[in-house]
Amino acid sequence: MTDISTLESLHLANIAAATDEAALEVVRVATLGKKGTISNLLKSLGAMSPEEKKVNGPAFNGLRDRVQKAIAARKGELEEAALNTRLASECVDITLPVRPEPQGTVHPVSQVFDEVVAIFADLGFSVAEGPDVEFDDYNFTKLNTPPDHPARQMQDTFYMAPQTDGSRHVLRTQTSAVQVRTMLVQKPPIRIISPGRTYRRDSDATHSPMFHQIEGLVVDEVTHLGHLKWTLEEFLKAFFEIDHAELRARPSYFPFTEPSLEWDVRCDRSGGHIKFGTGNDWLEIFGSGMVNPHVLENCGIDSKKFQGYAFGGGIDRLAMLKYGIPDIRSFFESDLRWLKAYGFTAFDIPTLDGGLSR
Ligand code: DAH
């Protein structure tokens, strides 16, 4: 019996001395594990006489129970201690002010993306997306611009290396490709916008080989140019934060719309910077039109039952106009000083109620 109590105090001392869960596990395996001291004692009962069993059985089992309990209790203590240490080290003092000089800012293009999405979401549009590397078919052919079509020359395209079947992917030249992607998978009514990156071989103060566009598409049983005009007016009023936006339509040509129109917005350039809503100048803002029935049919939509309108324009240009940024190339130079001047803090989240800009 002395053996048992010596053993017990030894084990209990080891358990108390375990300073983490791994050390405690070592003690558990050494005592209660398959080949542990206590397991061996219990196994030895099998070879004992009934008298010996009577004495040793309760003693060994009692030892096992007490050691088991002690291990469980120590485990609880260690877990709590570990949690407390973690809580202490990971605690965040939310009463601390934000660092006074944050280095990063939200890029004006990202900000305008969010502004545009907020405005069109309020008008019932959802956001659709497509890839930057696009099928020639979606960027051109299904948009009524087959390979030999002269309108292909309107856009200086980056072509990818030919596929094994001879077809070539392009870096999409227009977000209009997302119209196709949407119509191929969604039945009318359709009401989407698609802001995203686009690419053309062009570079000067107002053109960058990578730039951003927004596309809009509505397809339903009754849509007409009045809806289109109203939508663009509402957008411009909200975007430029003006009470009144006056639009002027000019006839134009896009292969995927019939008729095609370009819209100018009335503005005043006399004061050295642009003011919208007044003045005697006009600024081109969106290309648009009624979706060409060929495009609807190419995308599996019955053009006898449905019509649609579409519009598209440059996001960078909208950002330049709204925030007075003169050169599009500066958007992509990653100059921290420029970002500090034109960027937004992470808290400038554009919402229609809270205000779209600072
Ligand atoms: N995709 C045209 C471009 O890049 C812009 C455009 C014009 C989009 C008319 C449209 C539209 O949806 O209807 O120049």
Side-chain angles (χ1 to χ4, degrees):
M1 268 334 218
T2 30
D3 273 358
I4 297 285
S5 58
T6 318
L7 211 55
E8 179 166 345
S9 15
L10 181 73
H11 290 334
L12 293 183
N14 283 344
I15 291 168
T19 48
D20 57 32
E21 289 187 53
L24 187 63
E25 178 63 9
V26 172
V27 179
R28 191 193 66 76
V29 171
T31 52
L32 304 170
K34 247 190 185 164
K35 292 185 179 147
T37 46
I38 297 177
S39 309
N40 285 340
L41 282 176
L42 289 166
K43 268 184 234 157
S44 70
L45 285 172
M48 289 184 188
S49 67
E51 286 71 31
E52 283 173 318
K53 264 191 207 162
K54 227 178 193 171
V55 180
N56 288 321
F60 294 170
N61 280 311
L63 172 67
R64 184 201 49 209
D65 291 350
R66 287 189 298 281
V67 167
Q68 239 167 14
K69 246 191 212 142
I71 289 178
R74 183 70 187 140
K75 190 159 188 246
E77 280 168 20
L78 289 173
E79 276 170 0
E80 195 178 319
L83 183 65
N84 285 338
T85 321
R86 229 181 103 195
L87 284 176
S89 71
E90 288 179 8
C91 120
V92 176
D93 183 352
I94 54 167
T95 62
L96 277 177
V98 234
R99 271 190 284 161
E101 279 290 330
Q103 289 297 303
T105 57
V106 175
H107 195 285
V109 169
S110 304
Q111 187 75 9
V112 168
F113 260 52
D114 291 347
E115 293 178 17
V116 166
V117 169
I119 297 169
F120 279 106
D122 192 55
L123 293 173
F125 285 72
S126 50
V127 174
E129 288 179 316
D132 291 13
V133 178
E134 185 54 282
F135 297 120
D136 180 293
D137 186 40
Y138 290 9
N139 192 79
F140 289 122
T141 310
K142 285 208 166 35
L143 287 169
N144 201 31
T145 324
D148 51 353
H149 197 289
R152 286 212 177 200
Q153 261 119 57
M154 286 162 75
Q155 305 184 350
D156 248 329
T157 310
F158 287 109
Y159 284 94
M160 313 299 279
Q163 303 286 103
T164 40
D165 65 0
S167 71
R168 299 176 94 181
H169 291 156
V170 300
L171 285 180
R172 67 175 177 192
T173 59
Q174 47 188 358
T175 41
S176 307
V178 182
Q179 286 190 24
V180 175
R181 287 188 170 268
T182 306
M183 288 189 276
L184 285 174
V185 297
Q186 199 182 320
K187 292 298 149 226
I190 292 171
R191 185 175 281 262
I192 55 120
I193 54 156
S194 183
R197 278 194 279 265
T198 43
Y199 304 82
R200 287 184 204 176
R201 294 158 54 116
D202 219 349
S203 184
D204 59 36
T206 52
H207 296 92
S208 149
M210 192 280 286
F211 57 106
H212 301 87
Q213 281 191 337
I214 171 151
E215 188 75 16
L217 172 72
V218 171
V219 182
D220 208 335
E221 284 186 35
V222 185
T223 58
H224 55 69
L225 287 176
H227 296 145
L228 168 64
K229 179 168 188 252
W230 181 86
T231 306
L232 297 182
E233 267 167 11
E234 288 306 300
F235 167 73
L236 291 170
K237 282 196 293 190
F239 183 73
F240 288 113
E241 294 166 271
I242 49 180
D243 293 331
H244 179 69
E246 193 183 336
L247 283 172
R248 175 175 84 173
R250 279 179 292 110
S252 183
Y253 174 76
F254 300 102
F256 35 86
T257 43
E258 183 58 41
S260 301
L261 309 166
E262 273 176 274
W263 295 94
D264 302 332
V265 57
R266 186 186 281 283
C267 63
D268 181 359
R269 285 172 139 153
S270 60
H273 58 270
I274 297 190
K275 252 171 64 191
F276 291 94
T278 58
N280 290 318
D281 300 309
W282 294 94
L283 191 95
E284 183 189 322
I285 203 101
F286 275 119
S288 76
M290 297 305 292
V291 180
N292 191 311
H294 290 316
V295 175
L296 295 174
E297 295 293 339
N298 288 344
C299 298
I301 292 182
D302 182 356
S303 64
K304 300 233 168 30
K305 189 160 174 218
F306 298 103
Q307 329 83 48
Y309 63 84
F311 52 90
I315 293 248
D316 313 276
R317 191 169 142 77
L318 286 172
M320 289 164 82
L321 290 170
K322 182 164 178 180
Y323 295 113
I325 303 168
D327 190 331
I328 195 174
R329 288 169 297 199
S330 58
F331 278 86
F332 309 114
E333 280 166 356
S334 303
D335 183 335
L336 267 184
R337 290 162 304 176
W338 183 89
L339 276 169
K340 232 180 198 136
Y342 288 108
F344 295 77
T345 80
F347 300 111
D348 287 324
I349 298 166
T351 62
L352 288 185
D353 329 321
L356 278 181
S357 52
R358 309 171 241 232

